[in-house]
Each structure stands twice: as structure tokens, then as C-alpha cells.
Amino acid sequence: PALEAALSSRRQAEAQALAADRTRSEASERLREAAAAAGVDATGLADEPLVHALEAWQRQRADAARSEVEARAEWEQLQTLLDGRTVEEVTAEAARAAGDADRRERELLDLEAAAAPGDVDAAPGVVAASTLDAAPGGAAEARDGGYGVLLERGAGEAPEETTRRLEAGEPEPTIRRLEAGERARLERWRSLAGAADERSRGLPSVAEADEALARALDDVERLQRLDAALATTIDLLEQAQERVHRDVAPVLAGAVRARLADVTAGRYDEAAVDPATLAVTVRERGTGRWRQAQRLSQGTREQVYLLLRAAMAQHLVTTQETAPLLLDEVTAQSDAARKVAVLDALSALARDRQVVLFSHDADVTAWARAHLDAARDRLVELPANGG
């Protein structure tokens, strides 16, 4: 019978291993189907390198999608700027605006050259805003030592005529526009210069940036080494776990099987333990069907796990000593018949180890009074709580 039970456990383990291999094969096949659909060459690649190749393909796809979104945003921004015009039209308009700016700058330089011998004292190309006052008719008057000169000249006017107009004090709107433009450009330049200076003060030095980069590279290298060490540790632990499970599964299955029929009132007579997960399956005596312990009724499940815990506790002892069992309300989910079966099983376990059972169940107390051996066992009854 022991050999038959071991053979049954072995066959079940082999069937589970075969199912696991089949699952891995199916997963590998689906992985290669995904690679073919993505256009990734899987020739000669094992599963793990193929997974890395597919992850690289995913990253490339994500980068391409982001680039497409950015390009679309830039296109929409360009359409907003064009406002229904073509690029050629906008370019031509910009060229015209640049030509107008150059022409006005030349006019201003001509006016400054013409005004230099007179009483207007101003830096080339700049008229300070503090020296300009509003003149009658909207003109701007530059004052120097009490001598007022209205800076005005018509577009395209000769320097001699400009000089005459300056001396005569005749207003010219063109000069006001040029002066306003120069003031705006000056203020813009000052603003940009201040922003550039502020930003330059906030930037780290090249040496500091190099040091920060070196520290970051050291951190990356350290984390990569740690990652490799952790991966190796996890792999070793998984291998050790697999070996331990493979060794302990038959022992646990035999221990559960020995008392399974007693604690389940004969409904289940065979047990097996999965070497991969230590999950317990039991065989129903009437139908021969195998069922997972976690899907049994709560009472039966607790009884099976009680046997499993007792077997595990004994197997894990490495000092050649017998481990005691401390149990709390293990019969709470059992009916009357199974309660007696569990207590009988615990009494049998108590022949070679100490078993301490806590319970407030009157049936357990009655069973203890009737079945405990006074020479070997002891019943301790605590006083009831007040009230």
C-alpha cells in the first residue's frame, strides 16, 4: 500500500509537471506568434531574449507614437500661425516687414546725423523716454537746455529738408513712430538681457554638472550590480524552494493520508501534495474524483489543513526533537461526528508529542472527560468570566 500511494503521488506529480511543460510550450508558442505579428525576427532566439526583443519593439512603438503626437501638435500650431495663409504668403509678409524695419532704421540714422550739429543731444538710435514730452497736436518734443526742437520728417525726405524742418520746429509724425519703435526695441532688449542674466545665475557650473553626472553614473552602476545580485539570489532561492518542495511533498502527503479518512468520516481516503506549490488535493472515496482542499467545505478544509500543519511542524524540526502542537478552536467548524474524529486524531498524535488544545466548546470538554488518560493527559478548566 505504501508503494502504491507513493506511485500515485509520483504519477500525479508527473502529470502536473507535464501540464506545466504544456503550459510553458503554449506560452512560448503564443510569444512567437506575437513576435511574428510585430515583425520581430525570432529565429534562433530563446524565450527570454525574445521577450526582451518584444519589449524593445514596444518601446520603439511608444517612441514613434510620441513623435507622431508631437508632429501633429506642431502641425496644428503651424496652421494656427498661418491663419488660412500659405507659407509663401507668410514668408513674403515677413520679408516686407523686415524691409520696412530696415528702411525706418535708415531714416532714423539719417535724422540723427542731420540733428547732430543742432541742439538735440541723444545717443545714436535712442531717444530717452524721460526727455520726451507731449507736444500740441500729438507731437513729441525733445528738450535740451530749454531749446525745444520738434523731431519730425516726412518719409523719404532729403537730409537738407529734415534739417530745415528741425530748425523750423515743424512736426513730422514719422519721427515719432520711429522713436516709439526704438524705445520698444530698447525695452525688449533690456528685458531679454535681464532674463538671460537671471537664467545664467541659476545654471550650475560645468564642473558641478560633471560631478553630478559622475555621481549619477556611479549610482546607476551600483544599482545595476544590486539588480544582478538580487536576480541571482532570487534564482537560487527559487531553486532551493523547488528542491525543498520536491523533498517534502511526499512526506506531507503520507502524513495527511494516514489520518485523512478518520478526520473526514471516511469521505476522503487519499491525499497528494503538489511539489511546486504544496497545494493539497484529496480523493473522494465514493466517486474517485480528486478535489483541491481549498475548494472543500470549511470544516473539511480545516481538518485537512490541521493534519498538514502537524506534518509540517514535525518535518521542520531539525534537532531530532518532537515539536509540540498548540491549537486553538480547531473543532469550531466541525459537526458532531467530525469533531469526535478530529479529537481522536489529536489524541493519537499526543502519543508521541505534546498537544495543547484551547476550546470553549462544551462537547470538547465532555469528550475530554470521557477519553483522556489521567496518567498521560490532563484537562484544565478555567473559571468562567464574571457574568
Side-chain angles (χ1 to χ4, degrees), residues 316-362:
L316 293 179
V317 173
T318 60
T319 60
Q320 304 302 321
E321 297 177 338
T322 301
L325 291 180
L326 304 179
L327 307 173
D328 183 33
E329 298 293 356
V330 295
T331 61
Q333 304 298 330
S334 301
D335 56 23
R338 291 183 181 178
K339 188 181 302 182
V340 171
V342 169
L343 293 172
D344 289 340
L346 291 177
S347 179
L349 289 173
R351 294 190 184 98
D352 54 12
R353 77 189 63 225
Q354 184 181 26
V355 178
V356 179
L357 172 63
F358 296 92
S359 178
H360 69 282
D361 191 340

Side-chain angles (χ1 to χ4, degrees), residues 150-162:
L150 290 174
L151 303 179
E152 298 180 350
R153 181 169 68 86
E157 194 173 66
E160 295 79 4
E161 182 64 19
T162 300

Side-chain angles (χ1 to χ4, degrees), residues 40 71 249 262 335 341 371:
V40 176
D262 294 335
D335 56 23
H371 295 85

